[in-house]
Amino acid sequence: MSLSAGSSPLHSPKITPHTSPAPRRRSHTPNPANYMVPSSASTPGNNPVSQTPSSGQVIQKETVGGTTYFYTDTTPAPLSGMRSFKNYHRTACRAEGQIIEVFPNYHIYPPTAPHVAYMQPKANAPSFFMADELRQELINRHLITMAQIDQADMPAVPSEVDSYHSLFPLEPLPPPNRIQKSSNFGYITSCYKAVNSKDDLPYCLRRIHGFRLVNTKCMVLVDMWKKIQHSNIVTLREVFTTKAFSEPSLVFAYDFHAGGETMMSRHFNDPNADAYFTKRKWGQHDGPLPRQHAGLLPESLIWAYIVQLSSALRTIHTAGLACRVMDPTKILITGKTRLRVNCVGVFDVLTFDNSQNNNPLALMAQYQQADLISLGKVVLALACNSLAGIQRENLQKAMELVTINYSSDLKNLILYLLTDQNRMRSVNDIMPMIGARFYTQLDAAQMRNDVIEEDLAKEVQNGRLFRLLAKLGTINERPEFQKDPTWSETGDRYLLKLFRDHLFHQVTEAGAPWIDLSHIISCLNKLDAGVPEKISLISRDEKSVLVVTYSDLKRCFENTFQELIAAANGQL
């Protein structure tokens, strides 16, 4: 229910379905206004929702579990011309009395909020999704989440692993006779999407081929990882061993983020990107240095990545752990710029030995220092837009490239992370180098949130209107009910048939179809609220005109649908 004052409940404004109010959560916000209906003196324009306009009633609205319910309260009405509101509505008192707030008594769609309508992306900043992009992104994620394989085509994939089923490979499976091991973990690995039968939620399973877990004391570290919840870390849920793949395997179960791709595939998949470091002879002026507009990443994007990766490291190090997988192949990107560090905890299990039995965290300080060096390599690779830039023989070229194209802050941050220090470093040391760019990222995140909330507001009423149309469709043109072939053409059903024509089948004076989505939305909202506004329903032969209120139509609609429900449940 919109809270825009001054709208007349009798006149349908030019409303469109793509600007609807944001949802009201029952647990945080009280229900919207309860409309007190005057007993006699009010006109239909001032008489809100009621079954009988002549008697004082209150139409209550309550949202439970995403479903909005309307019901009538027969509380005696106040004096004529006055509206009563619950005490959670703020009212201002004037010398002569309270300010009277007037609300439309049917659902309407307000326009886009001005702070979103006039929002302009800042120059050289990551762009936001448009509505169509967001919709396509969500559809793609849904498709990936629901993807399945034909078990006959891939017999090597088991139908069930522990409590997980419906396995779907997320990367090409290694051949059975493969000898080459993963460059990161030292073991052959594979990755699957699977559904947990305990909660029916999708998860990502990282399988370590041929690994036998000998020392279970490493589970202390696994339990520590399971407690970490961070927006830039893929959460580890459980670790278990299995023989479902016909050989001993260790499986790590993580949250599944559909549509994610690695930083390697997003930014370092171009074979020509390394040409500057591999072909150009250093010291010879055989061409200009690459510039940001000629293939290098915008600095704002690199800082956005730095903020997220440093935030993840800060949380991990504060928990007494080390990331150990700060690598482009293990950093996931979803959407435009959202990063998540993946495969956390794998090294802690694979490299655990008996020397750590007494103190599993003994080497964490050393590993944390290595995390900072790995972060510096990732940032340098992003600045060069090439993995060749982090090779030792190319560091001088890479740093000159950074000096020419990027700010001194970015250069100093890379040098600090990659240079050996005489003291123990902390991820907090780079916070002053990031400086006010934290505020830039915070501003971008909040603007992004505003855009997504506005997109959500466009869709929030669709479920309610769909339920109305679904119910109406079960009634209109029903061939037979209770062995009565004329059931849908008589009584209350005839009114609903004419209302359906009023919604969808109107024509212009020239006889052309008159299609106005705002008219359809407005009429459905008034039907749902049961307003006392009157409309004229004309028969198809134009010989009969029935003048009814939306309140009458709602009563016919509800009674008829309940009759169908009773018959479906065998109560008739």
Side-chain angles (χ1 to χ4, degrees):
M1 192 75 69
S2 171
L3 301 183
S4 57
S7 301
S8 168
L10 277 182
H11 296 86
S12 174
K14 279 293 181 179
I15 51 181
T16 55
H18 54 270
T19 50
S20 62
R24 299 181 180 275
R25 297 182 179 178
R26 186 187 181 195
S27 59
H28 299 288
T29 306
N31 296 330
N34 301 321
Y35 301 101
M36 298 298 296
V37 181
S39 57
S40 58
S42 61
T43 63
N46 294 325
N47 186 7
V49 183
S50 66
Q51 292 288 346
T52 307
S54 61
S55 61
Q57 294 178 343
V58 179
I59 295 298
Q60 298 275 11
K61 172 188 167 185
E62 188 170 8
T63 302
V64 179
T67 303
T68 301
Y69 299 92
F70 295 87
Y71 57 92
T72 302
D73 187 3
T74 57
T75 305
L79 295 177
S80 174
M82 297 294 293
R83 296 177 186 265
S84 174
F85 299 91
K86 292 280 188 180
N87 55 11
Y88 49 75
H89 283 281
R90 294 186 300 175
T91 57
C93 295
R94 297 181 293 185
E96 59 271 17
Q98 293 182 336
I99 293 178
I100 306 302
E101 296 175 289
V102 180
F103 296 88
N105 54 0
Y106 54 88
H107 300 278
I108 66 172
Y109 295 78
T112 302
H115 70 281
V116 176
Y118 291 97
M119 184 181 297
Q120 297 294 333
K122 296 182 179 180
N124 204 27
S127 61
F128 299 108
F129 285 111
M130 299 298 290
D132 290 340
E133 285 184 286
L134 178 60
R135 181 179 295 106
Q136 188 61 46
E137 175 74 15
L138 294 176
I139 291 175
N140 290 339
R141 292 181 186 180
H142 294 166
L143 289 175
I144 296 172
T145 302
M146 302 301 293
Q148 296 183 359
I149 62 170
D150 188 346
Q151 200 67 37
D153 295 336
M154 304 188 73
V157 179
S159 59
E160 186 173 352
V161 176
D162 199 66
S163 60
Y164 297 87
H165 62 88
S166 303
L167 273 69
F168 181 85
L170 296 176
E171 56 190 28
L173 295 178
N177 57 351
R178 175 180 174 181
I179 302 178
Q180 183 181 2
K181 299 179 181 180
S182 169
S183 59
N184 294 97
F185 300 127
Y187 290 86
I188 300 174
T189 65
S190 55
C191 189
Y192 305 87
K193 173 189 70 70
V195 178
N196 192 331
S197 58
K198 296 178 181 178
D199 55 16
D200 291 330
L201 298 178
Y203 292 91
C204 176
L205 303 183
R206 172 69 61 176
R207 175 197 172 196
I208 311 298
H209 295 229
F211 183 86
R212 295 178 182 273
L213 184 63
V214 178
N215 195 335
T216 59
K217 291 186 178 181
C218 63
M219 290 302 163
V220 174
L221 299 176
V222 172
D223 292 337
M224 295 177 65
W225 278 112
K226 290 162 65 174
K227 296 177 182 178
I228 293 182
Q229 301 285 333
H230 191 272
S231 58
N232 299 119
I233 300 174
V234 181
T235 303
L236 175 63
R237 296 300 176 183
E238 66 172 325
V239 179
F240 60 91
T241 58
T242 181
K243 293 184 178 179
F245 295 92
S246 71
E247 67 172 341
S249 300
L250 183 66
V251 178
F252 294 79
Y254 296 91
D255 288 348
F256 177 64
H257 297 280
E261 59 178 325
T262 64
M263 180 181 287
M264 175 68 77
S265 63
R266 172 73 68 90
H267 295 299
F268 305 115
N269 203 25
D270 184 6
N272 299 322
D274 296 337
Y276 170 74
F277 296 99
T278 57
K279 295 182 180 180
R280 187 177 188 272
K281 294 182 180 180
W282 190 250
Q284 296 183 5
H285 302 284
D286 55 355
L289 293 172
R291 298 284 179 175
Q292 287 191 41
H293 64 270
L296 298 185
L297 299 179
E299 184 167 348
S300 59
L301 177 62
I302 297 177
W303 282 112
Y305 288 167
I306 292 172
V307 170
Q308 295 178 73
L309 293 177
S310 61
S311 176
L313 279 186
R314 182 176 180 271
T315 298
I316 293 172
H317 291 181
T318 302
L321 297 168
C323 177
R324 307 180 69 182
V325 286
M326 187 62 63
D327 184 270
T329 61
K330 297 298 177 286
I331 298 174
L332 289 182
I333 303 178
T334 53
K336 295 288 188 180
T337 60
R338 180 67 176 276
L339 295 187
R340 290 182 176 89
V341 181
N342 193 21
C343 296
V344 294
V346 174
F347 271 120
D348 293 326
V349 176
L350 298 185
T351 62
F352 193 88
D353 55 34
N354 295 329
S355 64
Q356 298 175 258
N357 286 344
N358 296 329
N359 185 8
L361 303 177
L363 300 176
M364 285 303 168
Q366 177 182 341
Y367 294 146
Q368 290 176 1
Q369 297 302 303
D371 284 345
L372 298 179
I373 297 177
S374 299
L375 175 61
K377 291 181 179 180
V378 171
V379 176
L380 180 58
L382 288 170
C384 298
N385 200 23
S386 169
L387 291 178
I390 63 176
Q391 297 175 5
R392 183 176 297 274
E393 62 271 16
N394 295 326
L395 284 179
Q396 183 182 357
K397 299 179 185 180
M399 291 310 302
E400 180 171 332
L401 189 67
V402 173
T403 302
I404 294 175
N405 289 281
Y406 297 103
S407 66
S408 59
D409 287 341
L410 183 61
K411 173 188 173 183
N412 293 336
L413 182 141
I414 295 174
L415 288 175
Y416 178 80
L417 292 173
L418 294 180
T419 304
D420 292 333
Q421 303 289 330
N422 295 327
R423 63 179 180 87
M424 297 293 289
R425 295 174 297 169
S426 169
V427 69
N428 294 327
D429 296 339
I430 69 174
M431 302 306 172
M433 304 178 192
I434 299 174
R437 294 178 180 87
F438 273 118
Y439 298 110
T440 301
Q441 297 306 315
L442 179 61
D443 177 55
Q446 291 177 337
M447 291 175 65
R448 170 74 172 142
N449 184 66
D450 288 339
V451 172
I452 292 179
E453 282 189 354
E454 190 64 32
D455 286 334
L456 174 63
K458 298 172 186 177
E459 311 292 335
V460 70
Q461 300 287 352
N462 291 357
R464 179 178 55 82
L465 296 182
F466 171 77
R467 286 191 292 271
L468 280 175
L469 289 176
K471 292 178 180 180
L472 196 61
T474 61
I475 298 172
N476 292 140
E477 307 292 347
R478 179 170 286 275
E480 181 184 17
F481 180 72
Q482 300 293 323
K483 299 182 179 181
D484 182 6
T486 64
W487 179 82
S488 62
E489 302 290 335
T490 57
D492 293 345
R493 285 78 60 190
Y494 182 66
L495 286 178
L496 297 177
K497 174 185 176 180
L498 297 184
F499 177 71
R500 190 269 315 272
D501 291 343
H502 175 77
L503 275 180
F504 302 112
H505 300 158
Q506 297 203 38
V507 296
T508 63
E509 295 179 355
W514 183 70
I515 300 175
D516 186 354
L517 192 57
S518 64
H519 162 75
I520 297 173
I521 299 296
S522 175
C523 292
L524 287 174
N525 283 324
K526 293 176 183 179
L527 173 67
D528 191 29
V531 300
E533 178 183 339
K534 295 181 180 180
I535 60 172
S536 299
L537 301 179
I538 304 176
S539 62
R540 293 187 175 182
D541 58 9
E542 298 184 353
K543 294 182 179 180
S544 302
V545 178
L546 303 179
V547 179
V548 296
T549 65
Y550 283 99
S551 177
D552 297 330
L553 286 173
K554 182 179 181 180
R555 175 183 52 79
C556 297
F557 178 69
E558 291 180 343
N559 292 343
T560 303
F561 187 73
Q562 289 302 320
E563 186 178 354
L564 290 176
I565 292 296
N569 295 334
Q571 299 176 4
L572 292 181

